[in-house]
Amino acid sequence: MEKLVIHGGTRLNGEVTISGAKNSAVAILPATLLIDGISTINNLPNISDVKIICDILKELGAKIHWNNNNEIQIDTRNITSWKAPTDMTSKFRASYYLIGSLLGRCKSVEVGSPGGCKLGARPIDQHIKGFELLGAKVKTGSGIISATTDKLVGTSIYMDTVSVGATINLMLAATLCEGTTNIENAAKEPHIVDVANFLNAAGANIIGAGTDVIKIIGVPKLKANITYSVVPDQIEAGTFMLASVASKGDITIKNCVPEHLDCLSAKIIEMGANVEYNGDELRVIMNSRPKAVNVNTLPYPGFPTDLQSQMGVALSIADGTSIINESIWESRFQYTTELNKMGANITSQGKTAIFQGVKSLTGAPVSATDLRAGAALIIAGIIAQGKTEVSNLIHIDRGYENIESKFKALGANIRRVKE
Ligand code: EPU
């Protein structure tokens, strides 16, 4: 077991380069199953969720070659199985994308129930409803999801709730199906556009990704030998923006799409930050204690739930009282218990938390309760007085590439040690 040891009180300063988006990469890799041939994917984040999908693809018969740390070649010409090992698929959330991809390719699929961060109930009823409307028979039980079909046929699917995972999964299943599929009330996150761009680069016919109606005109086959670059991770970029705000820092964030972060920029400007956009870079300068603000998490383009805990750290030391309303997940305030161990004054009940800003945090041993909570606690350790130890790094390593090296390059006193 490893932990991060942080000696805090640092004002972060300098440049950081953002990796490819985790939540896009974990969908594009399964999407290569829809191609009968070789795909090259670059700007791939080198994180444990990506490595496990690659291992699963190998189990299904794909050949994988890493050209370098962030570029992979996947040869899917000899897929021999549609059963993804349940012990591997239940280790992370995005394994559900194997359902849409394998249904599209093999007309049958079996995966373990998806795992991932414990954020409360994480139903997949909208995925299942969509697969059934497309003509699949879906069975769930004993920790396994299986689906089979003679033929998928395009149809209209109205999503009862805005779901990133269901939107992408149904796009995957509909790509090779007969006829046209309309997904209404679709999610609009940048990674949905990215997955559609990848599929379209391979010859799919997907129109409207990034709006709330996506039309997928089925094509009989996708073409091989494409090279595709994963979109920069807006959540990683947002994490460093909030690290700058919380540490009264000056950070230039490179290889990002600033417009994907408009909502966060607006909020941190309210908190007193100065934000500059410059092509694929943005800079966040903060010279004062953050002002208190209220935040409501929403689907894109609203404030992302995946930046809620990092924002919580900045608000824990803000001047005044802030309220965060978490409208996506039932249980995403577990990190506040850890922050209170560091001297924060946060009360949470259900989906609401009240942050009474304190002047400073003090280092303490804390545990990463989920991926984004882990990133938040690193920021907390960097701004706190004294020593913080963050344990349970398995969550952080699932989604952030080289996180301690990136913070170290910005001046943080942080190192990874064996427990
Ligand atoms: N929902 C349903 N039924 C469904 C699907 C979702 O009721 O069939 C509900 C969920 O319970 C939740 C809401 O709809 O209340 C949104 O869920 P969504 O399906 O959008 O989430 P997801 O696909 O499971 C992805 C990201 C999460 C991120 C959410 C919201 C991946 C692998 N995960 O999850 O990322 O929080 O979208 O943006 O893409 C993270 O990266 O730390 C993370 C948790």
Side-chain angles (χ1 to χ4, degrees):
M1 296 286 263
E2 294 177 327
K3 63 184 175 185
L4 290 172
V5 179
I6 306 167
H7 291 274
T10 310
R11 177 170 196 250
L12 296 175
N13 194 304
E15 293 180 352
V16 61
T17 300
I18 298 306
S19 300
K22 160 191 169 269
N23 287 344
S24 188
V26 296
I28 287 176
L29 292 173
T32 62
L33 288 167
L34 295 169
I35 296 172
D36 189 9
I38 298 175
S39 315
T40 304
I41 314 293
N42 57 45
N43 202 34
L44 248 196
N46 199 321
I47 51 176
S48 66
D49 268 10
V50 160
K51 290 179 195 151
I52 190 159
I53 300 182
C54 290
D55 289 343
I56 294 171
L57 292 175
K58 278 196 222 161
E59 292 286 325
L60 298 174
K63 288 206 175 75
I64 294 200
H65 179 258
W66 286 85
N67 295 339
N68 59 47
N69 270 346
N70 301 101
E71 184 176 290
I72 198 174
Q73 237 179 13
I74 308 178
D75 181 349
T76 53
R77 281 176 293 187
N78 290 308
I79 295 302
T80 48
S81 170
W82 39 265
K83 289 187 182 182
T86 48
D87 55 328
M88 294 166 96
T89 44
S90 50
K91 277 194 183 139
F92 67 114
R93 191 77 201 151
S95 54
Y96 50 37
Y97 293 134
L98 291 162
I99 309 177
S101 307
L102 284 167
L103 254 187
R105 171 149 184 159
C106 306
K107 311 276 177 280
S108 287
V109 54
E110 189 176 293
V111 299
S113 300
C117 293
K118 306 235 174 321
L119 310 173
R122 298 188 75 175
I124 59 161
D125 56 302
Q126 297 304 302
H127 305 232
I128 293 173
K129 177 178 98 170
F131 295 138
E132 288 177 340
L133 285 168
L134 290 170
K137 285 203 179 80
V138 185
K139 275 198 210 149
T140 56
S142 313
I144 290 179
I145 303 168
S146 61
T148 182
T149 184
D150 295 331
K151 179 165 83 168
L152 295 176
V153 180
T155 187
S156 276
I157 304 169
Y158 184 86
M159 315 277 280
D160 298 332
T161 188
V162 178
S163 161
V164 171
T167 302
I168 293 180
N169 227 345
L170 297 175
M171 237 163 47
L172 294 171
T175 290
L176 296 179
C177 85
E178 195 178 291
T180 298
T181 302
N182 282 304
I183 305 175
E184 296 186 53
N185 197 25
K188 296 181 280 210
E189 272 68 4
H191 35 290
I192 287 164
V193 179
D194 202 38
V195 179
N197 286 344
F198 166 75
L199 291 167
N200 283 342
N205 193 351
I206 302 173
I207 302 156
T211 73
D212 42 26
V213 181
I214 303 180
K215 182 173 180 174
I216 304 129
I217 303 165
V219 294
K221 198 173 176 331
L222 295 183
K223 63 174 191 252
N225 300 321
I226 60 158
T227 298
Y228 190 81
S229 190
V230 176
V231 72
D233 195 317
Q234 100 258 29
I235 302 300
E236 189 195 6
T239 299
F240 284 102
M241 290 167 77
L242 286 162
S244 191
V245 172
S247 73
K248 292 195 203 148
D250 179 353
I251 303 183
T252 298
I253 296 163
K254 301 182 118 177
N255 184 37
C256 66
V257 183
E259 293 71 24
H260 289 166
L261 289 144
D262 281 349
C263 171
L264 176 61
S265 297
K267 205 35 98 178
I268 64 175
I269 289 169
E270 256 182 74
M271 294 164 78
N274 184 11
V275 181
E276 294 167 10
Y277 286 11
N278 181 15
D280 67 353
E281 287 182 21
L282 67 79
R283 181 174 175 197
V284 176
I285 308 162
M286 186 74 176
N287 289 317
S288 56
R289 186 175 174 198
K291 292 184 197 134
V293 292
N294 295 333
V295 173
N296 187 23
T297 65
L298 287 170
Y300 188 83
F303 191 95
T305 172
D306 294 345
L307 289 172
Q308 188 259 103
S309 14
Q310 302 88 315
M311 174 57 103
V313 175
L315 296 183
S316 73
I317 48 132
D319 188 7
T321 300
S322 309
I323 299 174
I324 297 186
N325 180 45
E326 168 58 59
S327 75
I328 309 289
W329 298 118
E330 260 172 13
S331 171
R332 213 173 198 180
F333 285 123
Q334 296 164 67
Y335 72 95
T336 59
T337 310
E338 302 302 295
L339 275 187
N340 284 345
K341 291 181 193 162
M342 300 177 72
N345 184 356
I346 309 165
T347 36
S348 68
Q349 194 170 35
K351 289 184 161 189
T352 304
I354 300 172
F355 294 70
Q356 314 263 12
V358 295
K359 284 217 166 101
S360 63
L361 301 178
T362 336
V366 287
S367 170
T369 46
D370 63 65
L371 166 62
R372 308 301 170 187
L377 292 171
I378 294 177
I379 300 172
I382 289 169
I383 63 172
Q385 298 304 318
K387 178 171 141 189
T388 294
E389 292 183 351
V390 183
S391 57
N392 218 5
L393 303 187
I394 187 164
H395 290 299
I396 302 176
D397 293 337
R398 284 190 29 237
Y400 286 93
E401 179 174 5
N402 297 332
I403 193 161
E404 69 267 26
S405 318
K406 290 187 182 185
F407 274 117
K408 205 182 272 178
L410 294 169
N413 182 341
I414 178 169
R415 73 197 154 90
R416 189 179 282 250
V417 298
K418 293 239 182 289
E419 279 194 280

